[in-house]
Amino acid sequence: MIELAFSILSADFAHLADEIATATRGGGTIIHVDVMDGHFVPNITFGPPVVKAIRPVTKLPLDCHLMIEDPDKFIPAFAEAGADMVSVHVEACRHLNRTLQLIADHGMAAGVVLNPATPVEMVAEVLPMVHHVLVMSVNPGFGGQKFLPRAVDRIAHLARLRSELGWNYRIEVDGGISRETVGSVVRAGADMLVAGSAIFQSGKTEANAVEFLRLARSAGERLA
Ligand code: DX5
Ligand code: ZN
């Protein structure tokens, strides 16, 4: 199933509950929470207290993308705050298998993230144990960046491995996903589509989400 994971990084933080409600009315089914620490990426955003604050205002799953050093230290706090999915960067984890197991042990769906310059082979050994693989289609740190088209081949590679090896992970893509780029990533095999600026722009959040999903699903149907 193709799903829109809207990134609240581009929402109006002063009205987060309303922004979430509007994007949900537009068809968004996952809330993507971009957690940045100013070390792993050159920007700071939010952490477990914000996850805890939005937990009671929505029934949608909270997908926390940790762009932080030493994620193990914070995984229990995200679980406690109400996160449903947690993704960690392979580049930030010295003991990736242990970190993914820790996420699962806390009752959350574990995902692994690849920066644009990281070969897909770096996650080969953990593919059987992850709920999703997140392919970055920008260098992480900021919303509103330009899509890096090499992501399409990387998604196709992961989709091929999934069917050849019989694994079940979902393929998430994040960065510069818009009406223009969404078709290419869906055709390559992505099914969790992160979008921030494409959704929360021009004061037309609901309509943006509806149109985004229409384009994504029509690209998906042409595949079937
Ligand atoms: C970038 C974040 C993305 C970002 C996407 O580091 O991981 O989730 O919010 O924003 P857009 O959709 O504007 O590229
Ligand atoms: Zn993200």
Side-chain angles (χ1 to χ4, degrees):
M1 181 173 76
I2 290 170
E3 289 188 271
L4 164 60
F6 56 89
S7 166
I8 55 169
L9 184 60
S10 296
D12 175 355
F13 298 157
H15 302 99
L16 213 38
D18 294 342
E19 293 276 78
I20 288 170
T22 310
T24 305
R25 277 200 303 278
T29 45
I30 298 171
I31 303 182
H32 187 81
V33 182
D34 284 307
V35 178
M36 306 186 188
D37 68 351
H39 292 275
F40 182 69
V41 287
N43 196 7
I44 298 177
T45 55
F46 26 69
V50 170
V51 173
K52 191 173 176 192
I54 59 182
R55 182 64 290 172
V57 309
T58 179
K59 290 192 173 63
L60 297 187
L62 302 177
D63 169 32
C64 297
H65 173 193
L66 304 191
M67 288 162 274
I68 64 176
E69 303 283 4
D70 202 1
D72 295 41
K73 216 157 68 187
F74 297 96
I75 285 164
F78 280 98
E80 179 78 10
D84 300 280
M85 311 180 200
V86 164
S87 317
V88 291
H89 274 259
V90 55
E91 305 87 5
C93 295
R94 186 166 293 168
H95 303 288
L96 180 60
N97 181 298
R98 177 186 287 151
T99 304
L100 293 168
Q101 193 57 53
L102 185 65
I103 297 170
D105 288 348
H106 280 81
M108 301 180 291
V112 66
V113 194
L114 292 153
N115 273 339
T118 303
V120 167
E121 287 74 11
M122 291 293 287
V123 299
E125 292 300 323
V126 299
L127 291 178
M129 70 187 292
V130 292
H131 170 266
H132 57 280
V133 180
L134 170 47
V135 175
M136 290 308 300
S137 38
V138 298
N139 286 295
F142 305 93
Q145 302 184 80
K146 194 171 173 312
F147 178 75
L148 299 171
R150 287 274 310 138
V152 174
D153 282 354
R154 293 154 63 69
I155 292 165
H157 184 173
L158 281 160
R160 214 162 42 238
L161 289 176
R162 180 172 59 185
S163 65
E164 281 169 16
L165 303 171
W167 308 131
N168 288 318
Y169 53 83
R170 300 190 68 183
I171 303 177
E172 186 174 21
V173 62
D174 184 4
I177 307 300
S178 65
R179 291 178 197 184
E180 288 69 41
T181 55
V182 72
S184 65
V185 296
V186 168
R187 282 191 294 275
D191 55 13
M192 281 169 71
L193 310 168
V194 178
S197 51
I199 303 301
F200 296 102
Q201 65 172 352
S202 320
K204 295 189 303 180
T205 297
E206 185 175 344
N208 292 337
V210 168
E211 178 62 4
F212 180 95
L213 274 166
R214 190 187 67 75
L215 291 168
R217 292 191 171 132
S218 80
E221 274 159 22
R222 265 178 271 130
L223 274 185

